[in-house]
Amino acid sequence: MSDANGANDTGTQGGSGTTPSGGPGGTAARGTGSAEGLRGEPARQDTPDQPPTLDGVAAPGALGAPGPSGPGRRVRVVLVDDHRMFRTGVQAEIGQTDRTGVEVVGEAPDVDQAVSVITSTRPEVVLLDVHLPGGGGVEVLRRCSSLMADAEQPVRFLALSVSDAAEDVIGVIRGGARGYVTKTITGSDLVDSIFRVQEGDAVFSPRLAGFVLDAFASTDAPPVDEDLDRLTQREREVLRLIARGYAYKEIAKQLYISVKTVESHVSAVLRKLQLSNRHELTRWATARRLV
C-alpha cells in the first residue's frame, strides 16, 4: 500500500470514468510543460459566471473550442496513480469526452490492479505514475509488455509523475513507455500529449528530453550504484528533495504524504546509506548528481 496520508485508496475502477468537467486538447510541441499544473485536489465549484477550475487551471468551457483532439477523434485512457485525489483531479481536467476526446475507462492505485484493469479494458494509452506500490511503473510495463507489442491494438504508456529524476525517466523509457511528463503539466497539454502518444510519437517535458538523449547516445549501460539500489523509489524521491533543501512539511505536501512518513523515509535512507544527518545526505546526493 502507498504511504500517502489519507490520499490513497485501494479501489480499481473500470468502465466509464468520465466526470462532469474536463479540458480540451491544447497545441504544443513534443516537449510540454507549464508554470501551473495538475494537482491532487478536486475541481472547485465556482460561481455560475465563472468557469470551474482545477487549482487555477481553466477547466473546459473556459478554454474555447476543442484543441488537437478534433471532431470525432477519441482515445481510451486508464489512469494509474496511487493518489486517489490526483486521479480525481486528472479526470476532472481531461475526462469530458465530448470536449477533449479522452474517455477514461479505468483507474488503479497499484501494480497488481493496474495490470488487471489494463488487461481487461485494453486502453490505447495508459497514464502511468512511476512510483507505485508493488514494484513501480517499471513493473507495470514489464507485465504489460505483450500488450505493448500487439501489432493490431498496442497499449501505449505515458509516464505522468512528480519525479524529474534522470533514473526514473530512463527507467520507464527503457521499459517501453512512449513518453514522460511531470505533474506540472496543464490539462490541455496533457490531452495533447495523450493523443501524440496514441499516434506513436514520443513526448517529453522539455527538461526531461535531455536525459533520454544523453542516456541513449551511448551504447554503454549506465553503471550500477549499489548504494542507491538499496533505496525504494519513494525513499529516492525523499532523498532528492531533502538534498535540494526542502523542509519536511514541504516534502509532505509535494508527495501527498504525512510529515511523520517523511521522517520515517529519511531515517530509512540514513540507515541504509550509513549517514548521520541530512547534511551528509546532501553531500552524498550531490556527489552522485542526484540533486
Side-chain angles (χ1 to χ4, degrees):
M1 290 302 299
S2 171
D3 52 10
N5 182 25
N8 305 350
D9 68 352
T10 59
T12 302
Q13 177 180 338
S16 176
T18 58
T19 61
S21 62
T27 56
R30 281 176 175 78
T32 58
S34 170
E36 290 185 298
L38 297 167
R39 300 290 190 262
E41 299 87 357
R44 297 194 303 268
Q45 295 299 320
D46 296 326
T47 58
D49 58 343
Q50 295 177 329
T53 62
L54 177 64
D55 197 17
V57 180
L63 300 178
S69 57
R73 292 189 61 189
R74 293 289 183 267
V75 58
R76 301 170 68 253
V77 172
V78 163
L79 306 178
V80 180
D81 192 289
D82 62 336
H83 296 96
R84 179 181 57 81
M85 291 293 287
F86 182 75
R87 297 199 309 271
T88 299
V90 172
Q91 286 212 31
E93 190 70 18
I94 71 173
Q96 190 177 39
T97 307
D98 59 350
R99 296 195 61 82
T100 66
V102 176
E103 179 187 3
V104 179
V105 297
E107 60 178 69
D110 57 39
V111 170
D112 288 341
Q113 294 185 59
V115 173
S116 176
V117 74
I118 292 167
T119 301
S120 63
T121 60
R122 294 298 293 264
E124 290 148 310
V125 177
V126 177
L127 289 180
L128 180 68
D129 193 10
V130 174
H131 301 145
L132 295 166
V138 172
E139 179 64 12
V140 175
L141 292 165
R142 186 188 70 79
R143 292 168 61 177
C144 292
S145 58
S146 62
L147 300 179
M148 288 188 284
D150 189 324
E152 296 185 0
Q153 190 183 351
V155 176
R156 295 189 168 104
F157 287 79
L158 173 62
L160 176 62
S161 176
V162 69
S163 171
D164 61 358
E167 63 266 27
D168 288 338
V169 178
I170 295 167
V172 296
I173 298 304
R174 289 192 186 279
R178 295 294 304 174
Y180 194 118
V181 295
T182 62
K183 291 180 178 179
T184 56
I185 193 170
T186 63
S188 57
D189 280 346
L190 181 56
V191 169
D192 180 59
S193 298
I194 290 169
F195 274 100
R196 290 181 182 276
V197 167
Q198 180 198 26
E199 294 165 357
D201 286 352
V203 181
F204 299 92
S205 294
R207 179 173 179 269
L208 308 184
F211 296 156
V212 179
L213 292 174
D214 291 344
F216 290 92
S218 172
T219 56
D220 297 330
V224 175
D225 189 325
E226 294 183 359
D227 289 333
L228 191 60
D229 283 349
R230 294 191 185 102
L231 306 181
T232 66
Q233 291 285 358
R234 182 64 86 186
E235 288 168 351
R236 294 184 192 189
E237 265 189 323
V238 172
L239 163 65
R240 282 189 292 270
L241 294 174
I242 285 289
R244 291 174 183 176
Y246 284 77
Y248 285 5
K249 288 184 179 179
E250 295 172 320
I251 297 173
K253 182 177 180 180
Q254 183 162 341
L255 299 182
Y256 303 100
I257 59 180
S258 68
V259 173
K260 184 176 181 180
T261 300
V262 174
E263 293 173 349
S264 297
H265 285 314
V266 172
S267 296
V269 170
L270 293 175
R271 183 181 69 255
K272 290 181 180 180
L273 300 181
Q274 299 182 6
L275 301 174
S276 300
N277 52 55
R278 66 180 298 162
H279 300 295
E280 290 184 2
L281 187 152
T282 299
R283 289 197 296 270
W284 187 93
T286 302
R288 286 160 174 78
R289 301 176 66 182
L290 299 176
V291 180

